[in-house]
Structure formats: structure tokens, C-alpha cells
Amino acid sequence: MSQEPVLPALIMFTANGKIKDALLEVVLVILPNCTSEIKHDVKHFIETNGQPIHAKARQLDPKRLAIAKEEFTFMLNNEIIRPSNSQWSSSLHLATKKDGSYRPCGDYRQLNAQTIPDRYPIHRLEDFHQILKETKIFSKIDLFKAYFQIPIAEEHKCKTAIITPFGLYEFNVMSFGLKNAPATFQRFIHEVLRGLDFVFPYLDDILIAPKSSQEHEIHLNLVLERLNTFGKDKRKIQWTDEAEKQFEKCKNDLANATLLSFPNSELPLSLFTNASDTAIGAVLQQYENSTWQPIAFYSKKLNDTQQNYSTYDRELLGIYLSVKHFKHYLEGRTFTIYTDHKSLIFAFHQKLDKAAPRQARQLNYISQFSTDIKYIKGENNIVADTLSRVTEVSSIDYDQIADAQTQDEELKSLQTITSLNLKEYPLPSGKYLWCDTSTSKIRPYIPEAFRKQVFHHIHGLSHPGIKSTIKLMNSKFIWPSIKKDVQLWTRTCIPCKKAKINRHTKTKLGEFEVPSGRFCVVHIDLIGPLPP
């Protein structure tokens, strides 16, 4: 496997998508050999509670075993890892990267559960967004394998030990998957770039945003010199045809991207909100170039109690939660709230003692920011209305499914089937989910305990027939007996049986007895209305 990236790690572009031709010298930040001298004092500490945790070595198929051995050989040669005799051990995990290759790391879930958290703050991306209003040229530096620049404290290296089929190893430098690794690196990068107010670091990504091309070149050199002082290395990349092709693709993608406006405190501000039966939506906009331009969006699903609120209460809740979400933009600003529920425009003209306690609390909070609520027709409140109808695509708990997969024997047998291409995909919680990628859609493997739940989630939407349900389930999930199980569950579905009509009953023609005399029975047939 190639250990060096082939594409530039720094790309310069302008806000309107045009590349500045005078600044096409591309610099690649690369990983120095870990045997080189460390030029900083930052170390990663792993303070834990409890006894040492240990795990067994996971079995790997021949292909993944060969990849793991090759990666560990590389890390051994570069002193990223070393052989270990630790009492601690975590299972080996091969995380799938975007390019389809693997990153070896430890399954540190048990270790992380015992680790005392580091509360060093991680930046919010919104903090950068609101201070870029007058900047037009940007450079983004992506540090390659940046975590390996942080050594682990000697007394804590034993806790990073990974057990593999070919030995036990521990990390000399900070590994991926460790609980406090982001906080440690954020602290380090703040030390590296301290005093450079024009730089915005977010973990291993660095954004440089000056107001002119002259400033940009100066600022860029200052940042690269600072990185070099703390032990990064840089060189000009070999500019190949492939690099030129990818660079042009980056330019085109940036030029065609849909962009939010940068907040400008001197422009009029408005908050458009809406609430549906199941969710609320809002868009924060500012008036520039004779039109409303979006700054940020917000959408949130209502819980069961909130869904039972009256229309007035749901719309008021939408304004309250939206103001609360965007308060860092709205504090100290004059802005107008737009809603398509006309009753709310009189909310601040009534006495609060007539409002319910919940309404009074929400109105009191909103009034701390603005009391200017105006009506807008629903047909003109398209963005907020659309966001209010975005609900969760799935209520399936994939974290629990990921936990169940680790003990599933059927999954291990599926990994030997060549027609499937099983890979692990990271979840937001940090866990990993086994999925099949042999088709155009990524299909998670579902353990037995969750199969009927998943079936009810898909089939319960509209109760389609057997063939349609099997087709839907096959396109979204996999397990060995999926067709047989889905066929049985669809055939025995109680709501389907109650709604299905197997026999059509027709009412017989009525029979009348022969009357005993004339006009003793009168029959009337109503017709009409007739034309005038």
C-alpha cells in the first residue's frame, strides 16, 4: 500500500469559485519519520478508572490479515508502534476510509468507558462562519496523519495495546479512536498557531482567510513556518496530469457548490419559522443584493407530547426553539420573526396572565431577543415549511445493531461469501456497522433479534404485498433467510388481513308481496337535480 498521498493537501480558492492564478504554488504537508526529533512538549495522557481491560484477538479473512500485517510493518519501521507485554489489550479494528482502504486502529470502546474525559473545548464551525464576511480568498490545510505528531506519555502507552493474530503491540504516538485524542490535538494546534488571529484551526484542518491576495501570501508563509517550527515538513508536490485533473475538479466543484452567505451585522436580519404536525423548521436570513440570503438552517422533530400540541402551540414552540438555537447570531441584533400562523402576531399584545404557563415561559424568552413578529403567507415560506417536514428517515437503532453484530455467528459465515462485499462503516457514536456494498446501495447486516423490528418498520409504512415487501427489504438490508422470513411475516400480518377483502358480497334484489288492492302501496324514486 502507498503510504504517501498523491493529491495536494492545500487548495486555494476564492468565494466566487475562481482560482487565483498568481497563487497556484501548492504545498503538501507530509508526515515526517517518527524517529525525527519532537519539537514540542505536548503529550497524550490516558487517565483511567478501574482494572485493566483485555480482549481476544479477532479472526481476519486472508485479505484483511495481509493488509493488517503490511500496515503494522510500516508502523513498526517508523516507530509509530512497538511490541508490547501490557496487561491491557483492545481488539484490532480495520476502519474503512473514504477511498476504500483501511486504517488499523484499536477497538477502544472498553478503554474509553474507563477514561476520565478531557474537557478542552473543540471549536464550533459556526464560530468561524460568522467572522468571514469580508474574506474572499481561502486556503485550507489538511494535516496528513496529524495525530501521529503527539507522543503518548510513557506510563500510558501500555493502555493502547492492540491484540492481533500476529502479536501484541502498543502505540508510541496518539492513535485514532482514543477518547480524548481530539481534545489533546486541539490543545496542541492552538499552541502551534497561538497569536495568529487570521487562522482558524479545527482539529487537523486549518483555514486561512485573509481579505486580500497580498495578505494571503504573507499569512500562508507564516502558518507554514510555524508548522515547520513544531516539527511538520513540507515540499512541493510532483505536479502530474492526475494532480492537474483533480485540481480542476476541485475548482469546478467549489464553483458549482451551493453556498450560505457569511453573516454581516450591518445587514437586516430575519428568522422564518414553521411547524408541521411532526417537526419544526427555520431559516435565518439576511437581506443583501436586494434579496433574502440564507445564513443557517434548523430542523427538529417533535416528540410525542409536542405532536399533540395545538397548531398555535406548535408554531410558538417553533419560534422559541429556533430563537434558542440561533441565539449566538441574534443576541444584540434587531430582527423580524416571520410566521405563517397569523394568530401569533398578536402574541405580545395580550396580557401574559391569560397565557398558559408554558406559553408564558416561551414568550418571555422570545421577548428577550425580539417582539417583532410578522405574518407571511405559507406559499412564501417555502424553506421553513420544507424543513418542518423533514423527519427522521429511520427509527432503527443502529448502535444496538452494531453491538449485536459483534457476537453474531451468522455474520462471520457471511464474511466468507464472495458474492458479498462486507465492510465496516463508522456510526456517529463511534461504533462500526457491518454493511454489504456489492450493490449500488449500502445494506446493513441485521442480526436475528432485530429482523422483525426492521420488517415492521418498512412493511408498516403502507403494508405492500409479499413481492413488493421482499423487494424493499432486499434493497435496504441483508441476512441469510431474508426472503423466507419476509414472505412469512407479510403473509401473517394482522393489519393486512383485517384490511384485505377476499370475497365481495352483493346484496340480493328486494322482493315485495303482491298488494291486496290498487294504490295501497306507493313506491317513490327520487331523481335530479333537473336543469332549469
Side-chain angles (χ1 to χ4, degrees):
M1 294 179 63
S2 175
Q3 299 300 336
E4 290 193 358
V6 296
L7 299 180
L10 182 149
I11 301 172
M12 288 165 283
F13 57 94
T14 61
N16 62 3
K18 296 179 180 178
I19 303 300
K20 200 69 177 172
D21 293 334
L23 297 174
L24 286 182
E25 181 178 4
V26 180
V27 179
L28 178 65
V29 180
I30 63 171
L31 172 69
N33 191 299
C34 291
T35 58
S36 61
E37 180 184 0
I38 298 295
K39 299 181 181 180
H40 59 83
D41 299 326
V42 177
K43 293 183 179 180
H44 182 66
F45 296 88
I46 309 174
E47 302 289 349
T48 56
N49 293 319
Q51 298 298 317
I53 57 97
H54 58 87
K56 294 181 179 180
R58 291 178 178 173
Q59 292 182 333
L60 299 175
D61 60 79
K63 178 183 176 182
R64 289 161 61 86
L65 181 63
I67 293 173
K69 286 184 176 180
E70 186 175 357
E71 290 286 347
F72 271 72
T73 301
F74 168 78
M75 292 191 291
L76 275 171
N77 293 338
N78 288 273
E79 298 187 7
I80 296 172
I81 61 174
R82 67 186 185 188
S84 174
N85 58 359
S86 172
Q87 293 182 338
W88 300 71
S89 64
S90 297
S91 300
L92 170 64
H93 175 69
L94 292 178
T96 305
K97 297 193 286 188
K98 293 181 180 179
D99 59 2
S101 60
Y102 294 95
R103 175 190 293 123
C105 58
D107 184 352
Y108 289 128
R109 285 177 290 184
Q110 286 183 284
L111 173 63
N112 291 340
Q114 295 188 11
T115 302
I116 300 172
D118 183 351
R119 302 301 184 186
Y120 194 84
I122 306 295
H123 276 311
R124 289 167 51 96
L125 294 180
E126 292 85 353
D127 298 337
F128 302 154
H129 185 231
Q130 58 186 343
I131 57 180
L132 299 176
K133 61 182 180 182
E134 296 179 358
T135 56
K136 295 183 178 179
I137 300 176
F138 307 90
S139 288
K140 184 243 184 183
I141 300 177
D142 187 4
L143 303 179
F144 178 59
K145 293 192 176 179
Y147 279 18
F148 288 170
Q149 303 304 307
I150 311 296
I152 293 178
E154 185 64 33
E155 64 272 21
H156 290 161
K157 291 180 180 179
C158 60
K159 298 180 181 180
T160 68
I162 297 179
I163 188 167
T164 72
F166 45 86
L168 185 67
Y169 302 90
E170 63 190 27
F171 277 86
N172 293 313
V173 293
M174 193 164 65
S175 172
F176 296 96
L178 293 173
K179 182 174 185 176
N180 293 327
T184 297
F185 191 83
Q186 191 71 56
R187 182 185 288 109
F188 167 64
I189 204 65
H190 279 168
E191 179 183 341
V192 172
L193 301 174
R194 182 169 286 117
L196 304 182
D197 297 333
F198 51 84
V199 179
F200 312 109
Y202 181 76
L203 297 176
D204 58 351
D205 291 320
I206 301 173
L207 177 65
I208 305 169
K211 298 180 181 179
S212 67
S213 58
Q214 292 78 15
E215 278 188 351
H216 180 268
E217 194 166 0
I218 297 172
H219 291 175
L220 186 59
N221 284 327
L222 286 173
V223 172
L224 294 175
E225 288 174 4
R226 188 69 66 87
L227 290 173
N228 190 49
T229 300
F230 279 79
K232 304 310 259 172
D233 191 12
K234 61 183 186 289
R235 62 174 174 83
K236 292 182 180 179
I237 68 168
Q238 184 179 0
W239 196 255
T240 62
D241 292 339
E242 178 64 20
E244 178 71 27
K245 178 182 177 181
Q246 295 298 329
F247 188 61
E248 291 298 325
K249 182 178 183 299
C250 288
K251 291 196 294 185
N252 293 331
D253 290 344
L254 290 168
N256 297 325
T258 301
L259 302 177
L260 297 175
S261 293
F262 293 134
N264 189 334
S265 59
E266 298 177 359
L267 296 177
L269 194 66
S270 65
L271 178 64
F272 292 75
T273 68
N274 189 70
S276 67
D277 294 338
T278 57
I280 61 171
V283 55
L284 186 65
Q285 303 187 86
Q286 66 186 16
Y287 196 76
E288 58 178 311
N289 300 325
S290 302
T291 185
W292 287 109
Q293 297 290 340
I295 299 174
F297 303 107
Y298 174 60
S299 181
K300 179 177 174 59
K301 184 180 179 182
L302 301 177
N303 59 37
D304 293 339
T305 303
Q306 293 167 342
Q307 290 180 22
N308 292 326
Y309 286 179
S310 65
T311 303
Y312 179 92
D313 284 346
R314 287 200 307 271
E315 297 285 354
L316 177 60
L317 177 66
I319 296 177
Y320 165 73
L321 292 178
S322 301
V323 170
K324 195 173 182 180
H325 180 77
F326 292 125
K327 66 179 181 179
H328 58 288
Y329 288 111
L330 303 176
E331 285 180 325
R333 297 284 304 276
T334 300
F335 66 97
T336 302
I337 300 171
Y338 288 92
T339 176
D340 57 9
H341 192 68
K342 188 172 285 188
S343 300
L344 279 172
I345 66 177
F346 307 105
F348 291 108
H349 299 284
Q350 64 178 354
K351 294 182 179 180
L352 288 182
D353 57 0
K354 293 184 178 180
R358 182 183 65 250
Q359 296 173 344
R361 289 194 303 270
Q362 293 173 355
L363 288 170
N364 180 61
Y365 183 84
I366 296 169
S367 67
Q368 298 176 31
F369 298 85
S370 176
T371 58
D372 185 12
I373 300 181
K374 294 184 178 180
Y375 172 73
I376 182 175
K377 291 184 178 180
E379 61 189 28
N380 298 326
N381 196 21
I382 298 174
V383 178
D385 181 73
T386 303
L387 291 171
S388 71
R389 303 183 190 283
V390 177
T391 57
E392 289 183 341
V393 176
S394 174
S395 60
I396 300 170
D397 192 335
Y398 284 106
D399 286 339
Q400 292 186 6
I401 292 177
D403 291 336
Q405 284 182 349
T406 60
Q407 308 294 330
D408 195 281
E409 296 297 328
E410 280 187 313
L411 176 59
K412 296 178 181 178
S413 63
L414 283 180
Q415 292 173 349
T416 62
I417 299 178
T418 57
S419 61
L420 298 177
N421 187 14
L422 292 171
K423 292 184 178 180
E424 287 183 292
Y425 282 84
L427 297 174
S429 62
K431 298 178 181 179
Y432 291 86
L433 186 71
W434 281 97
C435 303
D436 172 51
T437 60
S438 60
T439 63
S440 59
K441 294 184 179 180
I442 299 175
R443 302 182 298 168
Y445 167 80
I446 306 299
E448 185 175 2
F450 295 88
R451 292 171 185 172
K452 201 159 190 177
Q453 174 191 344
V454 169
F455 164 78
H456 286 304
H457 178 77
I458 300 299
H459 179 71
L461 293 174
S462 59
H463 293 276
I466 293 176
K467 291 183 178 179
S468 298
T469 306
I470 291 176
K471 185 177 180 180
L472 281 171
M473 294 292 292
N474 262 332
S475 67
K476 297 177 182 295
F477 311 101
I478 62 163
W479 68 79
S481 58
I482 184 170
K483 290 185 179 180
K484 179 180 178 182
D485 293 341
V486 170
Q487 183 179 18
L488 175 63
W489 294 335
T490 305
R491 184 173 290 145
T492 57
C493 176
I494 300 300
C496 287
K497 286 186 172 294
K498 288 183 177 180
K500 186 175 181 180
I501 300 175
N502 292 316
R503 181 180 299 171
H504 295 272
T505 304
K506 295 182 179 180
T507 306
K508 294 181 179 180
L509 295 175
E511 296 180 356
F512 300 94
E513 295 182 0
V514 178
S516 57
R518 295 180 179 180
F519 301 109
C520 62
V521 177
V522 178
H523 295 269
I524 300 176
D525 189 10
L526 301 178
I527 63 172
L530 299 174

